[in-house]
């Protein structure tokens, strides 16, 4: 049986309990905020910030929770004794939940495009916010593999966002640009996000592989 | 699969030699006994193919070789010392999830789960959430997941840890029953667990085999070497190195001991040895193989 056939998403969601709905709830709140401020001055900028601060970081939420049950009580020993691969346990499961995040983001952007008075480039915006979410998901993945504690990725992302907020918006991961800005500078940040996220996932995968071979580490 | 041969197994973690030249055959209900730090868990992890040995080999009746990690994982059911995850899921859903991970096909899934639920007497709890289960039920769920896929070898690490007396007895009976159809390996530092469930044993100490064999033969080998005597507290001090167990009875103590030069002063009566007697005797007097 291939690894893909072993995926049991319904169970993973059920096992997360109410925690699964937190990103959906936050997305809904953000959408309401963006929708009700649509006629205000500087809306394009504020809406973009709301996405960067309140939507993208939640790409890390589900990835972190996937490993909460496994690592919190040292239950990885049983999973390692089963005939499953490192790829299944790490990248596959995380990728499925990152796709959920993309779906959520796409729906939100689609609705925003309907209510917006100015035309929005939805594929570009999807790429923009997905690339940021990719960094947070990758960071959560690598930190879970390293520390085996769900609080570490959550705190790391909160600290990163706080620093970027108080540092006055120096572009790194976040672009701090209005929804309509599409230029080389923004694209450079987005492509660097993809590279950083990819490196995080590769590093996380290697750490997981090491953990599965060295159970006591 | 009737016998698993463990040959010259060595395991090093960095420079530390945790297992040194381990040799024995696993058959029937097999107990792995030893103090904490003896290397039991490391050996179990090798048998589950979670880690690989530094040297040596394991094979079963020429059918299965431990070099093929995936084949081993499909033939071994494992209940680790810690089993408490998927707390929000129901018993049935947990078993369904693990069955899928073990590669059990959709058509066999329901039958397999029903069978293990019946075998572990968890049918009435199948819709309960894991967090609502008692310690004994949780261990039985651990056994149920290990039995999925009908493995030839069932490995249970510290089976009764955290269970009350009643649950211990029930759990031991379950392990006894399961041992009739497959090889069951139980690792424990609790002598009672092994004595009540196993026919063959191996005692480990400091990463080496102290003794291995059939339980009855091993007990027979120290027949007549264990004595029992009633002593006062002053007399007790002269026996300190030979004592196996002490029971206080009013002003006296009932003492089981293995006689040596010091204890020849007392007129003890010979008693039938138990596994605890054998274990203590070997820990103090046994030659490491």
């Amino acid at each position: 049986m291939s690894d893909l056939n072993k995926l049991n998403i319904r169970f993973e969601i059920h096992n997360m309990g109410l925690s699964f709905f937190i990103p959906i709830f936050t997305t809904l709140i953000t959408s309401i905020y963006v929708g009700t401020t649509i006629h205000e001055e500087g809306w394009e900028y504020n809406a973009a910030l709301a996405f960067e601060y309140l939507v993208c970081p939640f790409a890390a939420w589900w990835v972190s929770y996937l490993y909460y049950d496994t690592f919190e009580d040292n239950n990885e020993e049983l999973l390692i004794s089963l005939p499953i691969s490192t790829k299944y346990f790490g990248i596959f499961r995380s990728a499925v939940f990152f796709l959920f995040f993309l779906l959520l983001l796409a729906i939100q952007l689609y609705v925003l495009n309907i209510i917006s008075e100015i035309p929005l480039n939805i594929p570009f915006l999807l790429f923009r916010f997905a690339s940021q979410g990719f960094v947070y998901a990758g960071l959560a993945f690598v930190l879970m593999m390293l520390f085996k504690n769900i609080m570490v990725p959550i705190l790391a992302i909160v600290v990163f966002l706080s620093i970027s907020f108080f540092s006055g918006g120096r572009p790194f991961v976040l672009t701090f640009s209005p929804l309509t800005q599409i230029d080389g500078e923004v694209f450079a940040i987005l492509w660097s996000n993809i590279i950083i996220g990819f490196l995080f996932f590769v590093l996380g995968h290697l750490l997981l592989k090491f953990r599965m071979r060295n159970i006591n580490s | 699969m009737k016998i698993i041969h463990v040959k010259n197994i060595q395991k090093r973690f960095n420079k530390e030699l945790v297992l040194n030249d381990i040799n024995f055959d696993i058959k029937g209900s097999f107990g792995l006994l030893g103090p904490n730090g003896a290397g039991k868990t490391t050996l179990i992890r090798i048998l589950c193919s979670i880690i690989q040995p530094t040297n040596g080999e394991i094979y079963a009746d020429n059918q299965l070789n431990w070099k093929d990690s995936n084949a081993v994982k499909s033939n071994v059911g494992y209940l680790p010392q810690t089993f408490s995850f998927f707390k929000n899921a129901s018993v049935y859903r947990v078993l369904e999830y693990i069955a899928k991970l073990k590669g059990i096909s959709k058509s066999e899934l329901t039958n397999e789960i029903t069978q293990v639920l019946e075998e572990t007497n968890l049918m009435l709890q199948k819709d309960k959430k894991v967090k609502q289960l008692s310690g004994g039920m949780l261990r039985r769920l651990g056994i149920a997941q290990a039995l999925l896929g009908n493995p030839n070898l069932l490995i249970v690490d510290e089976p009764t840890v955290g269970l009350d007396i009643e649950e211990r007895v029930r759990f031991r009976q379950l392990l006894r029953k399961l041992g009739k159809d497959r090889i069951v390996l139980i690792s424990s530092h609790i002598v009672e667990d092994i004595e009540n469930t196993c026919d063959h044993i191996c005692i480990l100490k400091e990463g080496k085999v102290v003794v291995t064999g059939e339980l009855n033969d091993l007990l027979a080998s120290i027949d007549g070497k264990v004595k029992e005597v009633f002593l006062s507290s002053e007399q007790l001090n002269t026996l300190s190195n030979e004592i196996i167990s002490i029971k206080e009875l009013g002003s006296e103590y009932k003492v089981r001991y293995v006689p040596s030069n010091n204890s020849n002063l007392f007129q003890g009566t010979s008693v039938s040895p138990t596994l605890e007697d054998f274990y203590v005797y070997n820990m103090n007097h046994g030659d490491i193989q």
Side-chain angles (χ1 to χ4, degrees), chain A residues 51-86:
Chain A
F51 269 87
E52 294 198 335
Y53 274 103
L54 297 172
V55 177
C56 297
F58 277 93
W61 187 267
W62 287 322
V63 174
S64 306
Y65 260 90
L66 270 180
Y67 302 96
Y68 172 68
D69 231 1
T70 314
F71 288 141
E72 291 283 295
D73 287 326
N74 291 322
N75 281 310
E76 68 264 36
E77 191 173 350
L78 176 65
L79 286 172
I80 297 170
S81 76
L82 300 173
I84 53 171
S85 67
T86 314

Side-chain angles (χ1 to χ4, degrees), chain A residues 69 73 75 77 80 216, chain B residues 45 73 78 85-87 97:
Chain A
D69 231 1
D73 287 326
N75 281 310
E77 191 173 350
I80 297 170
N216 286 325
Chain B
R45 285 173 178 170
K73 285 179 177 181
Y78 178 42
F85 61 162
F86 306 137
K87 294 183 192 79
Y97 180 71

Side-chain angles (χ1 to χ4, degrees), chain B:
Chain B
M1 199 156 77
K2 299 274 184 209
I3 302 177
I4 295 164
H5 307 281
V6 177
K7 299 279 179 205
N8 310 110
I9 290 293
Q10 259 195 0
K11 181 66 187 175
R12 276 180 194 280
F13 288 118
N14 297 321
K15 285 180 180 173
E16 194 188 350
L17 190 60
V18 179
L19 293 174
N20 188 7
D21 205 25
I22 302 290
N23 286 286
F24 59 86
D25 291 339
I26 304 170
K27 53 189 165 186
S29 296
F30 193 91
L32 199 56
L33 197 56
N36 291 328
K40 300 188 300 292
T41 300
T42 303
L43 187 56
I44 277 185
R45 285 173 178 170
I46 290 172
L47 286 164
C48 291
S49 224
I50 293 172
I51 56 173
Q52 294 299 313
T54 311
N55 281 312
E57 63 170 339
I58 306 174
Y59 56 93
D61 307 336
N62 297 324
Q63 293 171 3
L64 185 65
N65 196 303
W66 260 246
K67 282 172 187 158
D68 184 354
S69 181
N70 271 338
V72 170
K73 285 179 177 181
S74 302
N75 273 284
V76 175
Y78 178 42
L79 172 58
Q81 203 172 329
T82 318
F83 177 82
S84 62
F85 61 162
F86 306 137
K87 294 183 192 79
N88 283 320
S90 72
V91 166
Y92 190 91
R93 295 282 170 233
V94 169
L95 293 173
E96 189 184 53
Y97 180 71
I98 292 178
K100 274 191 176 178
L101 293 184
K102 286 190 174 186
I104 295 168
S105 66
K106 266 187 183 171
S107 57
E108 294 167 24
L109 210 70
T110 313
N111 274 347
E112 277 264 354
I113 295 172
T114 309
Q115 203 177 324
V116 297
L117 281 171
E118 277 170 0
E119 216 162 349
T120 52
N121 204 17
L122 277 173
M123 209 43 157
L124 292 175
Q125 284 79 32
K126 75 182 169 87
D127 296 320
K128 264 193 177 179
K129 284 190 173 183
V130 171
K131 63 184 173 192
Q132 294 169 330
L133 299 180
S134 69
M137 286 176 193
L138 200 58
R139 291 307 277 171
R140 276 189 277 147
L141 173 61
I143 286 288
Q145 65 76 25
L147 288 174
L148 287 167
N150 196 19
N152 292 311
L153 171 62
L154 179 66
I155 298 179
V156 187
D157 195 7
E158 300 292 354
T160 61
V161 75
L163 301 187
D164 62 35
I165 296 170
E166 212 174 306
E167 285 174 331
R168 272 176 190 224
V169 173
R170 238 182 280 145
F171 199 69
R172 284 176 193 147
Q173 281 170 349
L174 173 66
L175 291 174
R176 261 272 173 224
K177 189 177 86 178
L178 296 171
K180 286 175 183 163
D181 306 323
R182 56 180 68 77
I183 300 176
V184 176
L185 188 145
I186 296 159
S187 162
S188 183
H189 65 280
I190 301 169
V191 178
E192 272 185 330
D193 284 350
I194 305 288
E195 188 165 32
N196 290 309
T197 44
C198 301
D199 301 319
H200 302 83
I201 65 160
C202 172
I203 296 179
L204 284 182
K205 185 183 176 184
E206 294 163 9
K208 294 175 183 175
V209 173
V210 178
V211 67
T212 182
E214 202 169 320
L215 182 59
N216 289 337
D217 294 345
L218 295 176
L219 293 184
S221 71
I222 59 158
D223 218 3
K225 289 180 181 169
V226 182
K227 294 197 170 186
E228 197 171 81
V229 70
F230 290 88
L231 299 175
S232 66
S233 57
E234 291 81 34
Q235 290 171 311
L236 207 59
N237 294 331
T238 58
L239 267 183
S240 56
N241 289 331
E242 292 91 352
I243 291 172
I244 291 171
S245 66
I246 305 170
K247 196 173 181 183
E248 192 178 346
L249 297 168
S251 59
E252 278 190 323
Y253 294 89
K254 187 164 87 174
V255 180
R256 285 173 87 94
Y257 67 102
V258 179
S260 69
N261 292 339
N262 288 341
S263 52
N264 283 341
L265 301 167
F266 308 110
Q267 293 297 313
T269 50
S270 287
V271 288
S272 301
T274 62
L275 183 57
E276 188 182 5
D277 300 332
F278 182 82
Y279 178 71
V280 176
Y281 179 84
N282 274 280
M283 281 293 135
N284 296 333
H285 302 88
D287 295 324
I288 289 172
Q289 287 181 357

